[in-house]
Amino acid sequence: IMDGAVIGDGSIVGGGAFIPEGKVFPPNSIIMGSPGKVVAERDNARANRFNAWAYHLNGQNYPKGEHRGWDGPEATAYLDDIRTAIETDADLERAPR
């Protein structure tokens, strides 16, 4: 993402996408390609929050040497709880589990 580019709230930028300087994308865009283009639009807020929680889980596990912190029954249960909390926006009030 180059200087001056604006990615609208709730958007997702695909891996490997190149966003040129000064390019502006509307909210809820799914942006892919080189140069980046809007390939779809949808409300990505909940999907983005789930990804953030999954990265948070992985970040907690990585220092313990668990480099695939999203695998296994405990992680699956945690992520299921997160998914449920996100559906009702409860994750915005407090951290699940």
Side-chain angles (χ1 to χ4, degrees), residues 36-49:
K37 294 181 179 138
V38 176
V39 296
E41 292 184 21
R42 72 171 190 192
D43 182 356
N44 298 303
R46 287 192 165 106
N48 288 347
R49 288 193 342 243

Side-chain angles (χ1 to χ4, degrees), residues 23-53:
K23 184 74 175 168
V24 177
F25 293 94
N28 301 317
S29 297
I30 299 175
I31 305 161
M32 298 177 69
S34 182
K37 294 181 179 138
V38 176
V39 296
E41 292 184 21
R42 72 171 190 192
D43 182 356
N44 298 303
R46 287 192 165 106
N48 288 347
R49 288 193 342 243
F50 180 80
N51 287 339
W53 282 109

Side-chain angles (χ1 to χ4, degrees), residues 11-85:
S11 294
I12 294 176
V13 178
F18 174 77
I19 309 303
E21 186 173 334
K23 184 74 175 168
V24 177
F25 293 94
N28 301 317
S29 297
I30 299 175
I31 305 161
M32 298 177 69
S34 182
K37 294 181 179 138
V38 176
V39 296
E41 292 184 21
R42 72 171 190 192
D43 182 356
N44 298 303
R46 287 192 165 106
N48 288 347
R49 288 193 342 243
F50 180 80
N51 287 339
W53 282 109
Y55 274 95
H56 173 75
L57 174 63
N58 201 44
Q60 289 179 318
N61 288 312
Y62 194 86
K64 299 183 237 174
E66 300 169 17
H67 299 165
R68 294 185 60 86
W70 58 86
D71 281 343
E74 189 174 309
T76 299
Y78 175 82
L79 293 173
D80 286 345
D81 287 349
I82 293 294
R83 214 175 260 112
T84 300

